[in-house]
Amino acid sequence: MSEDLRRSMLIRLKTYRKAQCMSQEKFAKSLGVGQTYYSQVENGEISLSYHILDGLYSFDCDIDNLVTGTQKLSADGFLTECIDNTHPASKMNMYTMIITGFLQMWDWDLNNHWEKCLYSELVSISVLRMMRATFDERLYYLRIVNGMSQQELANLLGIGRTKCGKCEQGTKKLDAQLMIYLYKHGYCLPSFFFEEYVGLKGIATLLEKDRDKQSRFYEYVRCVMNNITNCQ
């Protein structure tokens, strides 16, 4: 991670903590780490770990904006609500149809780096029918769909193949620095490793740019949900 990217990320982390009206000690405790450890993270002495990022996401922190400085994600929860209101046995079908439908209808601008990352995520999900997958499954799926060998992924991240293998096995996790390498190369946004329903907030964010398409797509989602309900 370049020094500028690291510095700006740490500024956003400190800004977020202060916005929660928390001291370093209180914030560290809420994240399940010691104050000294957290202070070293905020001061840039040690890396921003997966554990802390996971804790931040559970507080509804926008991980993508925090790590990369990208646009804030939409707060529109319509798509998530549709899945949550679907019968448990049909949630996967509902989720998959949302993803595949959006992939087909959206006019993708793959020269836009943010859209390119989201597209890569959604293709991974639609091909492998991934929902609520573990961290290691998500990393493995992402690599396979993008046609990378484990050695190629290790080279991209600047780590050894052994460590890369441990990440895919779930015994190690990517920190913020490694996640930003994936983002910089157009593979995924950091939230890919934390979201319950990967990509839905990104879809909602894009749809807010085109209200006509948003209306049509939401109508499509309602029809899908009604058809699934009627078939049960």
Side-chain angles (χ1 to χ4, degrees):
M1 187 187 306
S2 73
E3 183 61 26
D4 287 344
L5 285 172
R6 185 181 70 87
R7 188 182 301 112
S8 59
M9 179 182 70
L10 294 176
I11 290 172
R12 287 190 293 272
L13 176 62
K14 186 175 183 179
T15 299
Y16 177 81
R17 172 178 64 79
K18 289 187 173 182
Q20 310 309 305
C21 300
M22 290 190 186
S23 65
Q24 280 193 352
E25 182 179 8
K26 186 176 180 181
F27 197 57
K29 185 176 181 180
S30 69
L31 293 169
V33 298
Q35 189 272 332
T36 299
Y37 176 84
Y38 177 78
S39 177
Q40 290 177 316
V41 171
E42 197 172 278
N43 291 332
E45 298 169 27
I46 56 178
S47 64
L48 181 53
S49 67
Y50 177 90
H51 174 76
I52 290 183
L53 289 171
D54 193 34
L56 289 167
Y57 185 78
S58 70
F59 296 156
D60 206 27
C61 174
D62 188 333
I63 295 297
D64 293 336
N65 179 260
L66 174 72
V67 176
T68 68
T70 56
Q71 61 187 309
K72 290 185 178 295
L73 294 176
S74 170
D76 185 349
F78 172 76
L79 298 175
T80 300
E81 291 170 5
C82 287
I83 295 175
D84 286 340
N85 291 329
T86 303
H87 189 276
S90 301
K91 286 182 185 290
M92 186 68 246
N93 285 338
M94 183 70 195
Y95 182 47
T96 301
M97 292 188 75
I98 289 174
I99 299 302
T100 55
F102 187 77
L103 279 169
Q104 293 297 317
M105 67 84 67
W106 190 255
D107 297 322
W108 291 94
D109 177 9
L110 298 184
N111 290 318
N112 178 295
H113 192 78
W114 187 90
E115 281 196 40
K116 183 180 180 181
C117 289
L118 181 62
Y119 179 81
S120 174
E121 293 182 16
L122 297 185
V123 170
S124 299
I125 296 164
S126 66
V127 171
L128 295 157
R129 297 174 63 83
M130 178 178 62
M131 186 172 75
R132 297 179 179 175
T134 61
F135 165 87
D136 47 305
E137 289 173 330
R138 294 181 189 205
L139 183 61
Y140 173 74
Y141 293 165
L142 189 74
R143 174 173 70 78
I144 294 301
V145 167
N146 282 283
M148 284 188 288
S149 68
Q150 195 174 83
Q151 185 61 63
E152 288 171 331
L153 177 59
N155 292 343
L156 178 96
L157 296 174
I159 60 177
R161 184 172 178 179
T162 299
K163 181 176 179 179
C164 186
K166 288 181 178 179
C167 287
E168 287 195 356
Q169 294 164 11
T171 56
K172 284 190 177 294
K173 300 288 196 295
L174 304 182
D175 60 18
Q177 178 172 335
L178 298 182
M179 288 181 189
I180 208 166
Y181 287 155
L182 288 173
Y183 168 74
K184 285 177 65 177
H185 287 86
Y187 289 108
C188 67
L189 299 155
S191 59
F192 176 76
F193 296 104
F194 303 99
E195 288 183 321
E196 180 179 20
Y197 301 123
V198 175
L200 295 192
K201 289 183 178 179
I203 289 175
T205 301
L206 287 180
L207 287 172
E208 288 183 350
K209 298 178 180 180
D210 189 326
R211 294 297 183 177
D212 288 338
K213 283 188 177 180
Q214 182 189 58
S215 179
R216 293 197 300 272
F217 187 70
Y218 281 9
E219 183 59 31
Y220 156 79
V221 172
R222 291 187 188 95
C223 289
V224 170
M225 184 165 60
N226 288 336
N227 288 336
I228 287 176
T229 301
N230 292 335
C231 289
Q232 290 170 352

